[in-house]
Amino acid sequence: MVMQEITQQITEMARDFATQYIKPHVIEWDEKQEFPIHIFHEMGQLGLMGVVVPEEYGGSGLGYLEYKAVIEEIAKVCGSIGLSLAAHNSLCTGHILAFGNEEQKHKYLPKLASGEWLGAWGLTEPNTGSDAGNMKCTAVKKGNEWVLNGTKSWITHGKSGNVAVVIARTGEARTKNNATAFVVERGTPGFSAGKKENKLGMRASETAEMIFDNCVIPDSNRLGEVGDGFKQSMKVLDGGRISIASLSLGIAKGAFEAAAKYSKERFQFDQPIANFQGIQFKIADLATEIDAADLLTLRACELKNNHQKVTREAAMAKYYASEVAVKAANEAVQIFGGNGYTKEFPVEKFYRDAKLCTIGEGTSEIQKIVIAREVLSRF
């Protein structure tokens, strides 16, 4: 009962923050592709930048149910801010929390959890998305230091992040255990930002390249053992997929609520369009599928909170919720009709933002592979 009350309080706090500080600026940020970094500093003061980070490292010390609620409420208002919040919490911060030593945790987590620092996480490269075993970004050890060379692409906060967890190849391409994770601070010589992407949606969430040109970092910045980078990344992505499922749910619920409300207000043939069976069937389908996605995500959160394996369940939640988000946004535009195609109403942005959820942190096709592998391994 106490945890339910805490979850409710966190939900209301995130909802109030989104309504007061994000909603008035959503259109402007989207149009200008403006990344409002000050918003993340403010969310840090509320404890939203380190939701699952233990209090001893400056975090809120909460669980994945609360984390899910936070991402959802922010994404209901703006998918871009929800995406950046999710990437900061689950990828960069989550990787250091899961695999950093005590010195690394005490050095980086308080700054990340407070929102003083913004985190980035680099796995994807220009020519290696799902094919991460063939990455070109390398780290070569020289004495007690590592020299990084290569480019990471499609990185959330690739330009503005104060610190990045970078997975670089330390062995031969396409061999096992050939990658290692490192922490690289902004300002390190040889570490720079490249092109910022001009995107269809999520336009207020910064996506940019990270470039490493003979970037030298000490061995003390290595996370875990040499060769464990890819294994670590897969475990980090299990939590990240819960994040994207939550992000998807926020977008789906935001689009659904806008459409349902509009269907009661829009009159045709002297009655609200909500009276027509064609609209009612859309509402019924979406309500059912959003609830199903919600339950899948809640199951994954419970397993994660109990430190149980969550690979299959996180992949299911991410796959299903992201596809539901796309459907919900699409149907919302249809319910709004011509108005849904204009920027005067919110659903066209949900429509543009939703698609990323089926791509980022593993495409829907990759999720199916993960799910099938996990299911078939039991037989």
Side-chain angles (χ1 to χ4, degrees):
M1 182 63 71
V2 174
M3 286 308 298
Q4 287 181 345
E5 291 177 0
I6 291 174
T7 303
Q8 185 59 36
Q9 290 172 359
I10 295 295
T11 301
E12 291 174 0
M13 178 178 69
R15 183 184 301 145
D16 290 344
F17 181 88
T19 301
Q20 186 173 352
Y21 296 103
I22 298 175
K23 191 173 183 178
H25 308 287
V26 167
I27 296 174
E28 176 189 358
W29 292 340
D30 182 73
E31 291 283 343
K32 294 181 178 179
Q33 297 196 70
E34 178 181 343
F35 179 55
I37 195 167
H38 67 280
I39 284 292
F40 298 92
H41 297 320
E42 292 168 14
M43 287 194 288
Q45 293 173 11
L46 295 175
L48 303 184
M49 296 290 277
V51 180
V52 301
V53 174
E55 292 182 34
E56 65 181 295
Y57 304 120
S60 297
L62 298 171
Y64 271 77
L65 292 174
E66 292 76 33
Y67 178 52
K68 168 184 176 290
V70 167
I71 299 299
E72 251 185 66
E73 291 303 323
I74 299 298
K76 276 185 185 179
V77 173
C78 181
S80 294
I81 306 304
L83 172 63
S84 277
L85 185 62
H88 171 91
N89 271 278
S90 68
L91 298 181
C92 178
T93 305
H95 199 137
I96 295 171
L97 177 62
F99 298 105
N101 57 38
E102 285 302 308
E103 182 180 349
Q104 291 165 337
K105 290 179 183 178
H106 282 287
K107 180 177 181 179
Y108 294 112
L109 292 179
K111 292 181 178 180
L112 290 164
S114 67
E116 178 186 348
W117 277 16
L118 192 65
W121 191 78
L123 177 65
T124 303
E125 297 182 4
N127 296 308
T128 56
S130 301
D131 184 19
N134 195 33
M135 66 176 68
K136 300 296 189 291
C137 183
T138 61
V140 177
K141 193 172 186 185
K142 293 187 177 181
N144 201 37
E145 296 177 325
W146 293 85
V147 182
L148 273 64
N149 280 288
T151 300
K152 294 295 180 179
S153 61
W154 292 97
I155 308 303
T156 306
H157 314 143
K159 183 178 180 180
S160 296
N162 301 94
V163 65
V165 172
V166 180
I167 296 84
R169 183 162 57 80
T170 49
E172 295 300 317
R174 300 200 183 286
T175 60
K176 287 187 175 181
N177 306 320
N178 71 345
T180 305
F182 302 90
V183 180
V184 187
E185 295 181 32
R186 186 72 61 183
T188 303
F191 176 26
S192 61
K195 179 184 69 171
K196 179 181 175 181
E197 302 295 342
N198 182 5
K199 299 174 295 183
L200 167 72
M202 301 292 194
R203 290 165 63 82
S205 176
E206 179 187 275
T207 306
E209 291 178 325
M210 296 193 301
I211 299 171
F212 302 93
D213 182 9
N214 290 319
C215 178
V216 179
I217 57 171
D219 187 57
S220 59
N221 281 35
R222 171 172 47 84
L223 290 167
E225 298 300 319
V226 174
D228 282 353
F230 188 70
K231 292 178 183 177
Q232 292 176 9
S233 298
M234 293 304 99
K235 291 178 181 177
V236 168
L237 284 171
D238 282 346
R241 285 163 182 166
I242 294 175
S243 294
I244 301 300
S246 304
L247 176 68
S248 301
L249 276 170
I251 292 172
K253 290 180 180 181
F256 173 77
E257 291 171 10
K261 184 173 183 286
Y262 183 81
S263 74
K264 301 289 290 286
E265 298 170 348
R266 172 67 169 171
F267 273 64
Q268 290 288 274
F269 304 102
D270 303 319
Q271 58 184 309
I273 62 172
N275 288 354
F276 300 128
Q277 194 174 69
I279 300 297
Q280 291 176 355
F281 282 6
K282 291 181 187 297
I283 296 296
D285 284 345
L286 291 179
T288 302
E289 291 172 28
I290 289 171
D291 270 11
D294 209 339
L295 290 168
L296 283 170
T297 308
L298 286 168
R299 180 179 67 169
C301 288
E302 288 284 6
L303 289 170
K304 188 71 174 171
N305 279 345
N306 292 320
H307 308 290
Q308 294 178 272
K309 185 179 179 182
V310 73
T311 302
R312 180 183 74 116
E313 291 78 9
M316 284 181 169
K318 194 270 187 189
Y319 164 55
Y320 191 72
S322 64
E323 295 291 341
V324 168
V326 171
K327 179 177 178 179
N330 182 54
E331 293 287 38
V333 170
Q334 197 70 16
I335 290 170
F336 269 77
N339 285 333
Y341 207 67
T342 72
K343 292 184 180 292
E344 293 181 27
F345 293 86
V347 291
E348 67 85 28
K349 184 176 182 297
F350 286 124
Y351 186 76
R352 289 184 289 106
D353 287 349
K355 188 57 190 171
L356 184 277
C357 298
T358 69
I359 299 171
E361 298 194 31
T363 63
S364 290
E365 291 74 19
I366 289 293
Q367 304 312 313
K368 290 181 184 181
I369 291 172
V370 172
I371 294 164
R373 183 178 62 221
E374 291 293 316
V375 170
L376 291 171
S377 69
R378 298 182 298 164
F379 294 91

